[in-house]
Structure formats: C-alpha cells, structure tokens
Amino acid sequence: MIEAGAARTRGIDARTFALPAATFHRAAVWSLRALLAVVIFSWFSAAPPRASQLVLTLELGRRAVAEQHFELGWLGAACTYLANAAAGFGGMAALGGTLVVVALALVEFRARPRTGDVLSLAATIVAAYFFLDVLRVGGGGAHWVCAAAFVLALERARGWGLCVAVAIVAVWANVAADAVVAPALAALVAIGRALDGRLPRASVAHMALVVLGCAAALLLTPEGFAALARAPLAAHLDRELAALIPFAPSTVAPRAYMTLFGMLAAGAALGLRRSRWEDRLLFCAALLLAFWNGAYLPLAGIVAAPVLFGSLVRVAPQFFAQPSQKGRFAKGLIAAIAVVFALGFAGDTPGRVAQTARGHEPADSVIRRSLADGRRHHVFCAVLEWCNYAITLGNVRVMMDARVERADPSVRTAQFTIARVKPGWKRELAARGIDAVVVRRSEALGQLLAFVPHWEAVDLEDGIVLYERAGGAAR
C-alpha cells in the first residue's frame, strides 16, 4: 500500500510539473509567432510606401484588369490593384503583410525537421530580418512567398510530386520577374543530390524534367519567348544596369544588409559541417545573389536561415537535442528570450503614417504640378523611378522608367550619358526630343542645365528641380 501510494505520488508529481512546463513551452512558442506576425502587419501599415513603385504597380494592375494589357509581373500588380480598389491602402498593407507572414511560415515549416520547434522559430526571426527593407507597400516583399513555396517543394516533394515546383514557378513568373532564378535553384538541388549520392537513377529523369519544366514555366507569361530576354533585366540581374539603378546591399537594403554579413560569418564559422551538398550549394547561391543585388536579400533569408540553423544543430547536437518533458521549461525560456529579439525587430518600426508620406513625394509633386497641363512632353528623369509618376499622365511619355527591360541598349546608354553628364549628353537630349528634365538641383546635371541656352527651371521642391526646354515640345 505504501509503495503504491508512493508510486501514485510520484506520478502526480511528474504530471504536476510536466504539464506546466509543456504548457509554458507551447504558450511561449505560439506567443512568439503571434508577436512576429503583429510586428510585420504593423510595419506594413506604418512604414512609408515605396511610392514611385506603388504608382507604377497600381497603373499596371489597372491596365491588366480593365484593359487586358499585360506586362511582366502583371499578376502581382493586378492583385495589388484589386486590394487597393477593395480596401484602399489598408487592403494593400493587409495583403502584403499576409503574404510575408505566409512566406516566413513556410521558412519555419522547412526548418522544423532540421532544428525542432525553438530553433525553427529562431531561423524564422533571422529570415524576417532579411525582409526589413521590403516590409512596406510597394516594397516588393510580398512576392517572395512564391520563392519560399518553391524551395520547400524542391526539398520535400519526391518523384512526380516535384511537378508542384514547376506549377509554383508558372505562378511566380507572372507575379514577379525574379522567378527567372528558379531553374538555376532547381539545377543546384539536382547537382547537390547527385554529389550526396541521394539521386537514384530512377530520380534523375524526374529532376531533369523539373529543371526543364521550371525553365519552360518562365515562358507561360504574356511576354512568351520575349521573357527570356526581358526577365533577367526586369529582375535586375544584369550588372550593366548598375550604372542606372542601385545594386549594393548597403544602398538597396540599408537595414537588412548587416544581417547578410552575419549570415556569411556564421556560415564560414560553422563551415556548414555535415551539411548536404544540396544545402551548401543553395546557401552559397542565395548569399551570392544577395551580394550581387541587395534586392535578393529576402531570398537569402528564405534559403539560408534553415540551412544555417540545421548546421548548428548538427555541429552541437548535445545542446539542441529534443527536450525531455521537464526540459521543455528551459526551452520555453529560450523562446521567451527570443521574444526580446522580436521586440527589437519591432523597435525600428517607422512611426510616420504612410498616406501622409505618400502625399509629400517631391518628384511626384513636381511632375504632376508642371507637366499635367495637357501639352505633350517627353521627360528625362535622372532617377529612373521618378518617371514612374508620369505613367498615369496621358500627355507625357518618358525616356525610361523603372521598367528597364522595355528600353533597348541604346536608350540605356543614353540614360547613363545624360544622367552622368558624359561627353555628348546635350546631343542626346536634343536627338531624343527631351523637353523636360527632372533632376536633383545639387547634381552636376542639375547645375549645368541652368547655364544651357533655352533650358529654364520651372519648378522646385525639396531640392528636386524640373527644367523645361523653352519653346519646344517633344518630337
């Protein structure tokens, strides 16, 4: 009787202490997930939008929905336009926040078999830091959900199930031009599995068809075969475009690029020990893309964060083994500490109201105030994205806007020549019939135009000046 009572007491004690530990662990983990989602939605609603890109996206979305006129990225633009039509700025913020949260959930789902619950959340938080500079309306962060789904499908699907990855690429290619990297990622997975000896002869055909299928899926856009030439330009993979648009991570993603160096240092320190070649190749490719162009930092977080934390578990398994029931309390504390880092993630959330910021874009104000006069104009913008504001003005055409893939090489060369005041810049202005120039007054072009005959400043706001050619409309 005494022994039976003692056994019951021991059982009661074990349940008494195990239940709170497990409950605390689950509560901490789910609280962290909820907090991260709240932070992301708050960031989207409070951060000033990337106004010039938003204007272009909304107009392209309107053309796709109302006029059935499709360009690269039409599906993403149409979804943004419909969200704005249905619920205004809040609808666009909600859509963007939802897609980023889904992308990060896919990152955690991919990381969990490698790391367990707590470290998979850590991988998700690290991946979220790579999104810091795109968590705003028009920032381009929402379409990376396709990338997260694609990488997950490549890793988990087997046999003919890999065709899911091809279907994802077909959607991704219509959402954003950066889907052009998908065939290369699929090829790296195939090469890695072959090096690992994890690609049986029966699976070689499957992987080969997936790589070819991903390449073929890029053609399933309104551009057709033209997408093969235009998509790399639209995805900003051609380094010659660095003369026209920023590429450096410190410029494109000033908040997130330090995380890139941290990821690189951690990967070097761990040496990706005991990692599969598949993971090593994807890790290196993602970081290389991010260094090549800072706009690919979200992809680096999606691909590399689960790989890095999985390697950490394999290097020190004694510290990251699955916890016992009593050990879950300690793991819960780790998750709670991670909340502090998530709060730090929230701490830099901009406090300005997005709509107010959008109404004070100086380039937008200058262009609309001076050029929406009914007369025909041919405009040159020293910063390409400024010309996005002219897309809704029927009387204005631009030499180039952010759609660099639509300009032929001679136009891109002329853009560089004029913006950097290289020899022949005045000749290019005249030859192309430019009658209006938007430029920063402090730049060389802005200062020199003040002394060129027949050019006069007609508008100025916050250092951005509009010059018009006197007495001459565009040819």
Side-chain angles (χ1 to χ4, degrees):
M1 291 291 293
I2 295 176
E3 290 180 357
R8 284 195 299 272
T9 302
R10 285 195 299 270
I12 293 173
D13 289 344
R15 289 191 298 272
T16 301
F17 288 104
L19 183 59
T23 301
F24 178 79
H25 175 267
R26 287 193 295 270
V29 169
W30 279 103
S31 295
L32 181 56
R33 290 190 182 110
L35 174 63
L36 188 58
V38 168
V39 167
I40 290 170
F41 279 107
S42 299
W43 201 301
F44 262 96
S45 62
R50 187 181 172 188
S52 60
Q53 187 60 39
L54 180 58
V55 169
L56 179 63
T57 299
L58 289 175
E59 177 59 18
L60 295 181
R62 184 196 68 78
R63 293 179 182 180
V65 173
E67 301 174 6
Q68 288 73 55
H69 176 79
F70 304 105
E71 296 185 19
L72 283 175
W74 69 272
L75 182 57
C79 291
T80 302
Y81 170 77
L82 292 173
N84 181 62
F89 184 86
M92 293 187 292
L95 175 64
T98 299
L99 292 177
V100 169
V101 168
V102 171
L104 293 175
L106 293 174
V107 171
E108 182 181 353
F109 189 62
R110 178 166 160 255
R112 194 175 300 167
R114 304 164 181 255
T115 62
D117 286 349
V118 175
L119 280 184
S120 67
L121 277 173
T124 305
I125 292 172
V126 169
Y129 270 92
F130 281 86
F131 279 78
L132 280 176
D133 295 278
V134 297
L135 296 181
R136 52 178 175 160
V137 175
H143 60 247
W144 292 114
V145 66
C146 295
F150 174 68
V151 175
L152 179 63
L154 284 180
E155 182 170 299
R156 297 288 182 86
R158 291 294 182 269
W160 294 112
L162 284 165
C163 292
V164 173
V166 178
I168 292 171
V169 175
V171 175
W172 187 7
N174 286 280
V175 170
D178 42 48
V180 72
V181 304
L185 296 179
L188 289 175
V189 169
I191 294 170
R193 288 179 182 173
L195 293 174
D196 290 327
R198 297 172 53 246
L199 193 61
R201 183 172 300 178
S203 300
V204 172
H206 292 153
M207 287 304 303
L209 288 174
V210 166
V211 174
L212 294 175
C214 290
L218 298 178
L219 304 178
L220 301 178
T221 71
E223 298 281 344
F225 283 96
L228 294 179
R230 289 187 172 184
L233 290 170
H236 298 168
L237 290 174
D238 188 340
R239 286 295 294 186
E240 291 184 1
L241 295 176
L244 306 177
I245 55 178
F247 268 56
S250 58
T251 302
V252 178
R255 292 187 181 93
Y257 87 103
M258 288 305 297
T259 312
L260 177 63
F261 287 100
M263 180 77 77
L264 180 64
L270 291 172
L272 298 183
R273 297 177 186 176
R274 304 191 187 114
S275 292
R276 302 172 301 193
W277 273 106
E278 173 185 342
D279 291 338
R280 293 175 186 176
L281 292 177
L282 285 178
F283 183 93
C284 293
L287 294 192
L288 178 62
L289 270 174
F291 278 110
W292 185 265
N293 185 347
Y296 286 86
L297 272 165
L299 179 62
I302 289 169
V303 171
V307 174
L308 181 66
F309 280 88
S311 181
L312 183 64
V313 170
R314 284 188 292 273
V315 168
Q318 66 276 21
F319 295 107
F320 302 108
Q322 288 296 320
S324 63
Q325 195 74 344
K326 291 183 178 180
R328 286 180 177 271
F329 187 81
K331 291 294 184 180
L333 286 177
I334 294 175
I337 292 170
V339 172
V340 176
F341 290 96
L343 289 172
F345 177 83
D348 194 36
T349 303
R352 292 187 299 166
V353 177
Q355 296 93 319
T356 303
R358 181 172 55 182
H360 290 82
E361 285 290 325
D364 186 17
S365 299
V366 164
I367 289 173
R368 294 183 186 280
R369 189 163 54 231
S370 299
L371 299 181
D373 55 7
R375 296 188 296 116
R376 292 178 63 245
H377 294 281
H378 192 188
V379 183
F380 172 88
C381 297
V383 177
L384 285 179
E385 285 198 345
W386 291 349
C387 274
N388 293 353
Y389 295 119
I391 193 172
T392 59
L393 303 177
N395 63 306
V396 175
R397 63 190 179 101
V398 301
M399 183 168 144
M400 280 188 71
D401 56 23
R403 295 170 293 175
V404 293
E405 71 278 5
R406 295 172 60 85
D408 59 46
S410 66
V411 174
R412 296 198 294 269
T413 300
Q415 174 77 26
F416 174 76
T417 299
I418 298 171
R420 303 294 178 88
V421 288
K422 297 295 182 181
W425 67 275
K426 287 188 284 187
R427 184 171 61 251
E428 289 285 2
L429 279 176
R432 296 183 181 278
I434 303 298
D435 72 326
V437 173
V438 184
V439 65
R440 291 189 181 91
R441 194 172 194 175
S442 60
E443 293 181 352
L445 178 61
Q447 295 178 1
L448 290 174
L449 274 177
F451 300 100
V452 176
H454 310 300
W455 284 92
E456 58 183 25
V458 298
D459 202 353
L460 173 69
E461 183 172 330
D462 293 345
I464 294 177
V465 60
L466 172 70
Y467 286 95
E468 281 193 359
R469 188 177 59 197
R475 293 188 301 186

